[in-house]
Structure formats: structure tokens, C-alpha cells
């Protein structure tokens, strides 16, 4: 699991004009991974390459993760961030899901949905890896690897258009500036309307990067990233008396006059790699990231009778909110990796430490209609008719009537880890490891000037074994514990205790001798304490539901078939449910033992089939993809479910010349009505109807 880059190498080739060595291609290590081959790891790993994403026409992380077995969409906060669960477990669904970029924490801020422009590949490391990654979920960790500068000039330009006035442009160029110094510039711009009424989005992102070889054994890399997005806050559609489909999926229940919510994301990453020898090396890294999110939005809510509608059954009560989130995150880390032999055993060792200082300034106000019985006119001032909406700025409530949040949170996490993968024989490998975390959290409620604090710590062990009866087959078992700090407080101002997890996994992998077929199967069981989910009583808040369990099986396959066919498929069965009950001080029991976890389908799967051929001696391909997602719980503590759906996608591409490629796809071919995720029956995110995209790409 190495990232290809170019680096300096000593050889006896003639010196260049500046007296520097020539360049050969090798690889740059990734933090937390080391140099153990993927087939020798006691876990299931699924990788999405840039070529796969490009062929499927995918530009967003959420759409990419739809292709990964056992990954389910979660609350996206009105389309303003990425939310997902791996093998049934998500983190706090009131904040973005955690993921890594080049090994750095990148899911904690509020910079908007992640674009995949400039991505080399996406690794989803399944199973009990939390003991090593720290903030990773027990189901798996998503690590995005970005494209690095190269020492051979190359570039590409892409233009894309499609349904709902969609336009996107991408550019990527890399070149050496000397034999030791290379640069890369990657960026994208997107502007589009939506199948959702009145909505318009805009995005611009750029990520320049540098790579400098100080000598043959030492390199420094730096990457800056900037993303600005403008996205209207959109809570989706409502289920009327628990029934979806009574209003069209296009119906926007917010107010266009609110304008878009704007997000900004500024990130810096710098890494130093030094190889002491061909067996030992060190990685040092630092990251600094700031994000901000600001905007107005309408939030459907329950009225005094705890029903969403007034007496006519069509007038929806809404509160108006103003939100501003600001974050700052500093990450430091270091790791030594090496290999040595003792008593005939080969050890692959990782020893490292990391530090994370995260600051979160959270401010939100709202204007909330009073009870209908006491103020019938004013109560309906910010309401909307779901069957015949009339948008008007004149009826908007002020957004400063009452305070929801005014908090300053600071989380400091220090961790140290060690892992040793031991080659007992050529066919038996054992992994031993562990991680120690110390977490310090303070949350200042400015309205009361009260600060709550907690400082838990934990040691999380990890063990695994791999047996390879043949060169093509390996079977494995792994066990791990995990520790993950939670952000924020519940409705009553109580901070959430950290999540603690325990995971078991057993699986098998197969790689054919010609590398044409790769497949894996994994059975898993996980448990988690202090799991966070949406609060079914207090709208917009989350609660800790105590303990939960998830168990299931995954199957993945990728194959090159006869007659130039290619196949990629996966299947997952996940049974995720609460193992404790929750009592609300005001309303009694809201979660019972055995209740399923929100947005987790029991069955899901993907199948992609491509056929490669030639058109006038130029390469071309055509493909079909099918994505199935089972029904899912749509609101915690209720019997409201989102229906199952099956989406079909057609894709095709053809090279007009050696350098120019024309491609496109039709998504949701049969125009199925579907729902991507839900926070409650009032906040359901509908999926897009049939759409098309076409693009032309020029590579040079």
C-alpha cells in the first residue's frame, strides 16, 4: 500500500547541468500502513482507484462510498457534509463522518461534501483497525490518497455537462522544476441547478502540491487545499403520517430567500520521509486545517401537539435557524517503520505517536413559532403548505429570537501506538499491536459561562493471524478494541462519554495466479458503548443510546473475464441494533433493546459489468451498474422506515484520438423514486431521478 511518486536515486548516469542525480520511480510510504503487502494483512481492504471513479463518472466521496460493501449513507445535514456508516456503525451523526486524507484526520471540520478531484485512490480498511488509527470506527477507516507530483510532465483537462444545467470543469498538471523538485496543480469548478426546486449549488476547489528530494533517502512533500462551496440548506421532504411519496421528491420545503449556506476549507499538510536503510525509515508529519460554515435555513419541526402539521394536515410548521461553525485543527505525528529478524522470525514493526488539537466554535440561533392555541396567526407565519408551497421573503421569521448553541469546544488527543507483524513461516503471519489514547475535552457554554470537562484515557489492543495455504489463498482472524472521543453535548448539556468498541473478524482472500481475479469474504461482529444517534424527542439533538451491536458478512470480487469483460461486485448483510434501552427524563423510553440503528440496511450490494472493445482501432467501453439498498430505519425510536431501492446506471466511453476521450453515463436509468438517508420522518433526503452527464477529457 504505497503511493507511487518519483524520487532521486544514485546511479552512475552522466550528470545533468546542475550536477543532480537522475530520477527513478519508487514509492512513498503512508502513515499507519507500513510496507506489509495487503494480502498479508488480517483484514478486508477495499480500494477504489482514480480510474474506477473516472469510469463511473463519480466526483463526490458520498457517491464513491456507495460502491463499497457494507457502507451506508447517513445524515448529511441538509447536504452540507458527508455522513456514512461502515458495517453498521457511524460516529456522531450530528457532525461529519471521520475520514483521513493522506493519513491526516480530515472529517472533523465543516468544509462541505468532499470532492474527489485530485484523488489517486480511496482505501477503505475494514475491521478492527481503531487500535492503530485512533479515531477510526470499528467497522473501518476511509483513507483518501491524493495525487502526488511526478517527475515526468503530464496533465489533463476535462469539461462535463448534464441534467439540470450541470457544468463541471477539471484540470490537473504536474511537472518537475529540477531533478529534485516537482510540483502539481489540481482543481475543479462546478455549477449546477438541482432536481430539487429552486436550488442552485456552486463549488470551487484547488490543491497545489510540492515534492522535494533533499537527497536520495530524504524527501519533503507539501500540499495545500482550498474548497469553497455554496449549498442551500435542504432538509428534504416529509413523510405525512409516516408515509412517503405524497409530495414529489423535487418539493423544496425551505425558503429560496435564505440563500445558500457557504463553506470554506483551508488545509495544509507537510511530511518528511527519511529512509535509514532499505529496511528502516521514519515519517514525520504536520497538518493544519481551518473550516467555516455560515448560513440560514428552515427546519420542519413538531408543534405543541407533537405533530408536524397544523389542523389542516398540510401546513408544515418550521423554525428558522442561523448557523455559524468555525473549526481549527492542528495535527502532529511521527512514525518509525522497520524490519528485522530474530530467531528465524521476520518482524515488520510500526512505532508511532500523534497529537490532535481541535477547536470548535459553535453558534446557532433560531426563531420558533409559539403554540398554535395562543398565537394562531404568528404560529403559521413561517409555516409552508407542502402541497402548494408559496415562497416569500416577507413571511420569514427573524433568526435571532432564541439561542440554540453558543459554545466553544476544545479537544486534545495524544496517542502512541506499536504494531508488530511477525512472519512465523512463509505461510503464517501474526500481528500484535496496541494504542494508548489520552483525551482532554472542555466545552464552554457562553450563555451560562459554565465549562464542562472530561479527560478519559484508554489502551486498545489488537491481534490478528493470517494463514496462506497456497500463494492464491489466505485466511485470517483479527480482534481489536477501540476508543473514540465524541464531540458535543446532549439536549440537557451533558457531554458524551467516549465510544469504546470491541471487534472480531474472520475472513478469506483469493487472488488468481494471473492476478485476473481477486475476491474476499469476511464475517464480523462488533459491539460499541456510548453510541450516538439522533434524538427522537428533541429535534436537532443527539443522544447516547448506551450499547449497540453489529454483525454480518461481506463479499467482494473483481475479475477480468473472457471476451474483454470486466466485473466488479460486492454484497453485504449487516444486522445492527441497540443492546440497551434509553429513558428520556421528560418523555420516558425512546430506544428499546433490539431496535435497529438508523439508516442501516440489512442487505445491500453492487454489480458493475464492463465490456471493452475498439471503435476504428481506438479503445472504447460500455458498462452497466446496479446498486441495491434494503429498507432502513428512518427515525430512531419509531417504526418509520425508508423503502428499499434499486438503481441502474449505464456508462460508456470512447477515445476519439490517443489523447481525447468522450464519456458519459445515465444514472437511475428507470427513474426510480428513492430516499438516500433520513434523520427523522420530517427530514428525509430524496435521491435524484434519472439524470445524464457527458464529458470530454484531453490528456497530454
Amino acid at each position: 500500500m504505497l503511493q507511487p511518486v518519483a524520487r532521486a536515486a544514485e546511479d552512475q548516469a552522466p550528470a545533468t547541468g546542475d550536477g543532480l542525480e537522475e530520477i527513478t520511480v519508487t514509492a512513498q510510504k503512508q502513515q499507519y500502513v507500513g510496507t506489509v503487502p495487503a494480502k498479508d494483512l488480517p483484514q478486508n481492504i477495499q480500494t477504489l482507484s482514480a480510474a474506477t471513479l473516472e469510469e463511473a463518472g463519480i466526483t463526490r466521496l458520498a457517491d464513491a462510498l456507495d460502491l463499497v460493501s457494507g457502507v451506508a449513507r447517513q445524515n448529511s445535514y441538509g447536504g452540507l457534509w458527508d455522513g456514512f456508516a461502515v458495517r453498521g456503525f457511524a460516529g456522531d451523526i450530528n457532525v461529519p463522518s471521520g475520514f483521513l486524507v493522506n493519513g491526516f484526520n480530515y472529517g472533523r471540520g465543516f468544509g462541505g461534501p468532499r470532492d474527489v478531484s485530485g484523488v489517486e485512490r480511496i482505501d477503505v480498511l475494514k475491521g478492527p483497525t481503531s487500535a492503530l488509527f485512533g479515531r477510526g470506527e470499528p467497522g473501518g477507516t476511509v483513507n483518501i490518497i491524493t495525487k502526488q507530483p511526478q517527475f515526468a510532465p503530464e496533465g489533463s483537462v476535462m469539461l462535463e455537462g448534464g441534467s439540470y444545467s450541470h457544468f463541471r470543469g477539471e484540470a490537473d498538471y504536474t511537472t518537475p522544476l529540477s531533478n529534485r523538485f516537482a510540483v502539481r496543480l489540481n482543481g475543479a469548478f462546478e455549477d449546477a441547478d438541482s432536481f430539487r426546486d429552486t436550488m442552485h449549488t456552486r463549488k470551487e476547489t484547488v490543491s497545489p502540491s510540492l515534492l522535494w528530494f533533499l537527497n536520495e533517502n530524504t524527501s519533503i512533500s507539501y500540499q495545500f487545499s482550498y474548497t469553497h462551496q455554496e449549498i442551500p440548506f435542504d432538509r428534504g421532504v416529509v413523510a405525512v403520517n409516516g408515509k412517503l411519496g405524497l409530495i414529489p421528491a423535487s418539493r423544496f420545503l425551505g425558503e429560496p430567500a435564505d440563500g445558500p449556506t457557504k463553506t470554506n476549507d483551508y488545509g495544509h499538510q507537510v511530511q518528511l520521509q527519511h529512509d535509514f536503510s532499505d529496511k528502516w525509515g521514519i515519517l514525520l508529519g504536520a497538518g493544519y486545517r481551518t473550516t467555516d460554515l455560515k448560513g440560514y435555513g428552515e427546519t420542519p419541526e413538531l408543534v405543541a401537539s407533537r405533530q408536524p402539521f397544523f389542523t389542516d394536515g398540510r401546513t408544515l410548521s418550521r423554525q428558522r435557524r442561523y448557523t455559524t461553525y468555525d473549526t481549527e485543527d492542528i495535527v502532529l505525528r511521527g512514525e518509525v517503520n522497520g524490519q528485522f529478524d530474530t530467531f528465524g522470525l521476520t518482524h515488520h514493526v510500526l512505532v508511532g505517536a500523534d497529537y490532535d488539537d481541535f477547536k470548535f466554535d459553535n453558534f446557532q440561533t433560531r426563531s420558533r413559532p409559539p403554540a398554535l392555541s395562543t398565537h394562531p396567526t404568528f404560529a403559521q407565519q413561517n409555516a409552508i403548505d407542502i402541497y402548494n408551497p408559496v415562497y416569500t421573503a416577507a413571511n420569514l421569521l427573524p433568526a435571532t429570537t432564541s439561542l440554540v448553541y453558543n459554545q466553544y469546544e476544545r479537544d486534545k488527543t495524544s496517542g502512541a501506538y506499536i504494531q508488530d507483524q511477525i512472519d512465523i513461516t512463509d505461510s503464517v503471519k501474526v500481528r500484535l499491536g496496541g494504542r494508548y489514547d489520552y483525551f482532554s475535552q472542555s466545552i464552554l457554554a457562553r450563555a451560562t459561562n459554565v465549562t464542562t470537562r472530561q479527560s478519559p484515557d484508554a489502551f486498545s489492543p489488537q491481534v490478528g493471524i493470517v494463514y496462506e495455504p497456497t500463494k492464491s489463498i489466505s485466511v485470517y482472524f483479527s480482534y481489536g478494541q477501540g476508543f473514540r472521543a465524541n464531540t458535543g453535548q446532549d439536549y440537557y448539556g451533558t457531554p458524551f462519554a467516549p465510544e469504546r468498541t470491541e471487534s472480531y473478524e474472520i475472513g478469506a482472500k483469493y487472488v488468481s495466479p494471473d492476478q485476473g481475479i481477486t475476491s474476499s469474504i469476511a464475517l464480523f461482529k462488533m459491539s460499541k458503548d456510548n453510541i450516538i444517534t439522533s434524538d427522537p424527542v428533541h429535534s436537532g439533538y443527539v443522544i447516547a443510546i448506551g450499547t449497540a451491536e453489529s454483525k454480518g458478512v461481506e463479499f467482494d470480487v473483481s475479475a477480468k473475464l473472457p471476451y474483454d469483460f470486466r466485473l466488479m461486485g460486492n454484497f453485504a448483510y449487516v444486522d445492527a441494533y441497540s443492546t440497551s434501552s434509553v429513558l428520556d427524563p421528560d418523555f420516558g423510553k425512546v430506544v428499546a433493546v433490539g431496535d435497529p440503528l438508523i439508516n442501516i440496511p440489512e442487505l445491500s450490494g453492487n454489480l458493475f459489468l464492463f465490456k471493452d472493445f475498439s471503435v476504428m482501432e481506438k479503445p472504447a467501453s460500455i458498462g452497466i451498474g446496479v446498486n441495491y439498498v434494503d429498507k432502513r430505519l428512518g427515525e430512531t425510536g419509531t417504526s418509520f422506515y425508508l423503502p428499499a431501492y434499486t438503481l441502474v446506471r449505464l456508462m460508456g466511453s470512447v477515445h476519439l484520438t490517443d489523447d481525447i476521450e468522450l464519456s458519459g453515463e445515465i444514472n437511475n436509468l428507470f427513474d426510480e423514486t428513492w430516499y438516500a438517508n433520513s434523520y427523522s420522518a420530517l427530514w428525509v433526503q430524496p435521491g435524484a431521478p434519472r439524470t445524464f452527464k457527458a464529458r470530454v477529457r484531453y490528456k497530454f
Side-chain angles (χ1 to χ4, degrees):
M1 300 190 62
L2 301 176
Q3 172 66 18
V5 299
R7 61 170 290 182
E10 279 189 348
D11 54 32
Q12 301 303 314
T16 60
D18 55 9
L20 298 178
E21 298 91 344
E22 289 193 353
I23 300 300
T24 60
V25 174
T26 180
Q28 187 165 347
K29 299 182 180 70
Q30 288 294 319
Q31 197 88 12
Y32 304 111
V33 175
T35 58
V36 178
K39 70 180 183 65
D40 293 341
L41 296 175
Q43 62 187 124
N44 185 19
I45 299 175
Q46 192 168 349
T47 295
L48 300 174
S49 67
T52 297
L53 300 178
E54 182 179 315
E55 193 166 30
I58 288 173
T59 60
R60 298 183 300 176
L61 177 62
D63 295 330
L65 294 180
D66 281 345
L67 307 183
V68 180
S69 61
V71 175
R73 294 191 182 219
Q74 294 289 307
N75 169 50
S76 62
Y77 191 60
L80 293 174
W81 64 52
D82 293 307
F84 56 86
V86 183
R87 292 181 171 177
F89 282 158
D92 180 353
I93 64 172
N94 254 23
V95 295
S97 294
F99 60 90
L100 308 175
V101 175
N102 299 320
F104 287 93
N105 252 323
Y106 225 81
R108 303 189 69 188
F110 298 87
R114 173 74 189 194
D115 194 88
V116 300
S117 171
V119 169
E120 180 68 29
R121 70 176 192 271
I122 301 173
D123 291 333
V124 184
L125 296 89
K126 306 286 189 67
T129 58
S130 297
L132 203 63
F133 286 85
R135 288 188 57 83
E137 283 293 316
T141 301
V142 176
N143 188 19
I144 298 173
I145 310 300
T146 60
K147 294 180 179 179
Q148 301 295 312
Q150 302 292 312
F151 282 84
E154 62 180 26
S156 66
V157 177
M158 185 275 287
L159 296 177
E160 177 182 84
S163 303
Y164 303 104
S165 302
H166 171 87
F167 171 78
R168 179 180 174 91
E170 291 182 10
D172 181 35
Y173 181 67
T174 181
T175 186
L177 299 183
S178 74
N179 279 24
R180 290 188 183 273
F181 193 83
V183 297
R184 188 166 200 146
L185 180 62
N186 183 280
F189 172 81
E190 190 171 296
D191 187 271
D193 292 333
S194 170
F195 75 97
R196 303 280 292 149
D197 297 338
T198 78
M199 289 191 61
H200 182 85
T201 61
R202 181 185 177 96
K203 172 170 54 181
E204 52 199 48
T205 179
V206 62
S207 55
S209 55
L210 313 172
L211 179 62
W212 179 28
F213 283 94
L214 282 68
N215 55 50
E216 64 166 349
N217 297 316
T218 308
S219 65
I220 295 177
S221 63
Y222 167 76
Q223 182 178 80
F224 170 73
S225 61
Y226 165 71
T227 303
H228 172 78
Q229 301 191 60
E230 298 181 9
I231 305 170
F233 183 76
D234 179 18
R235 277 299 190 187
V237 298
V238 298
V240 182
N241 296 321
K243 185 176 181 179
L244 289 164
L246 297 184
I247 61 174
S250 61
R251 182 68 40 83
F252 180 56
L253 299 177
E255 283 290 342
D258 284 332
T261 295
K262 299 181 180 181
T263 67
N264 292 290
D265 185 339
Y266 301 85
H268 305 263
Q269 296 181 0
V270 60
Q271 296 194 79
L272 169 69
Q273 176 179 325
H274 176 72
D275 294 330
F276 299 107
S277 68
D278 59 349
K279 294 184 177 180
W280 286 91
I282 187 171
L283 285 171
L284 301 175
Y288 178 73
R289 182 181 181 223
T290 61
T291 70
D292 61 80
L293 179 155
K294 294 179 175 63
Y296 292 87
E298 309 301 313
T299 299
E301 68 166 353
L302 301 173
V303 292
S305 61
R306 300 207 52 74
Q307 298 297 319
F309 300 100
F310 294 112
T311 53
D312 61 3
R314 61 188 297 155
T315 306
L316 179 67
S317 176
R318 301 180 304 178
Q319 57 177 264
R320 186 168 187 247
R321 296 194 181 197
Y322 171 72
T323 301
T324 174
Y325 294 157
D326 292 278
T327 70
E328 180 183 24
D329 198 9
I330 299 173
V331 179
L332 303 173
R333 67 189 194 193
E335 179 181 279
V336 175
N337 57 82
Q339 178 181 320
F340 63 93
D341 297 323
T342 59
F343 306 106
L345 306 178
T346 300
H347 299 257
H348 306 270
V349 177
L350 293 176
V351 180
D354 48 41
Y355 171 79
D356 192 320
D357 186 355
F358 178 70
K359 303 171 185 176
F360 178 22
D361 206 330
N362 178 356
F363 178 78
Q364 187 177 89
T365 59
R366 69 182 174 190
S367 184
R368 192 175 202 175
L372 179 65
S373 59
T374 57
H375 297 81
T377 301
F378 184 64
Q380 298 187 61
Q381 180 180 349
N382 205 49
I384 192 169
D385 186 335
I386 65 171
Y387 297 110
N388 185 29
V390 177
Y391 306 117
T392 169
N395 286 336
L396 289 181
L397 293 171
T400 57
T401 303
S402 62
L403 182 68
V404 182
Y405 303 110
N406 187 4
Q407 298 176 337
Y408 176 75
E409 178 174 342
R410 187 169 187 179
D411 300 338
K412 297 181 181 180
T413 305
S414 302
Y417 57 91
I418 183 170
Q419 177 180 285
D420 185 8
Q421 179 133 340
I422 308 168
D423 297 343
I424 306 297
T425 67
D426 289 342
S427 59
V428 178
K429 330 280 185 179
V430 174
R431 173 193 280 184
L432 302 172
R435 179 183 174 97
Y436 172 77
D437 283 288
Y438 175 79
F439 176 67
S440 173
Q441 180 186 65
S442 64
I443 303 176
L444 168 64
R446 293 190 176 99
T448 60
N449 200 32
V450 173
T451 300
T452 57
R453 305 180 189 274
Q454 61 173 328
S455 53
D457 64 343
F459 176 75
S460 306
Q462 182 186 83
V463 62
I465 185 170
V466 179
Y467 172 58
E468 300 176 2
T470 71
K471 292 185 179 298
S472 297
I473 299 174
S474 63
V475 295
Y476 67 89
F477 168 81
S478 62
Y479 167 83
Q481 296 179 10
F483 171 89
R484 181 186 181 277
N486 282 312
T487 298
Q489 301 170 315
D490 64 13
Y491 175 80
Y492 300 99
T494 304
F496 296 113
E499 295 177 348
R500 299 176 186 266
T501 63
E502 188 173 48
S503 308
Y504 300 85
E505 180 177 347
I506 184 170
K509 305 175 188 179
Y510 171 76
V511 180
S512 64
D514 63 356
Q515 308 291 309
I517 300 175
T518 63
S519 64
S520 65
I521 187 169
L523 290 83
F524 59 87
K525 181 178 180 181
M526 307 179 296
S527 61
K528 180 189 284 193
D529 295 339
N530 302 317
I531 190 170
I532 306 300
T533 191
S534 60
D535 189 333
V537 174
H538 306 101
S539 175
Y541 289 85
V542 291
I543 58 173
I545 64 170
T547 61
E549 187 172 287
S550 178
K551 55 189 176 182
V553 60
E554 292 172 345
F555 174 74
D556 300 278
V557 63
S558 177
K560 295 180 180 179
L561 303 176
Y563 304 105
D564 295 319
F565 281 97
R566 292 177 286 122
L567 174 72
M568 183 179 73
N570 61 62
F571 164 83
Y573 166 78
V574 179
D575 183 15
Y577 54 91
S578 173
T579 53
S580 64
S581 59
V582 177
L583 296 175
D584 183 270
D586 296 330
F587 295 94
K589 182 178 289 188
V590 294
V591 177
V593 174
D595 281 359
L597 301 187
I598 190 171
N599 287 311
I600 306 299
E602 280 197 354
L603 300 176
S604 61
N606 289 279
L607 183 66
F608 279 73
L609 182 65
F610 291 94
K611 165 66 174 176
D612 297 323
F613 56 97
S614 296
V615 176
M616 300 180 66
E617 299 184 347
K618 299 297 183 183
S621 71
I622 189 170
I624 184 171
V626 181
N627 174 224
Y628 172 76
V629 175
D630 203 359
K631 67 176 184 178
R632 296 132 288 148
L633 182 70
E635 181 175 349
T636 300
T638 72
S639 58
F640 171 63
Y641 277 79
L642 303 181
Y645 62 83
T646 302
L647 303 180
V648 178
R649 172 186 306 183
L650 289 182
M651 300 152 284
S653 67
V654 60
H655 279 76
L656 304 180
T657 70
D658 291 341
D659 302 321
I660 300 176
E661 180 188 30
L662 183 66
S663 63
E665 67 271 349
I666 302 174
N667 294 298
N668 194 0
L669 179 65
F670 298 110
D671 203 23
E672 179 170 349
T673 298
W674 63 289
Y675 301 92
N677 62 78
S678 175
Y679 192 95
S680 73
L682 293 179
W683 305 346
V684 180
Q685 291 294 328
R690 180 171 52 241
T691 59
F692 78 91
K693 292 180 183 177
R695 68 191 63 83
V696 59
R697 188 182 304 270
Y698 171 59
K699 295 184 178 181
F700 54 92

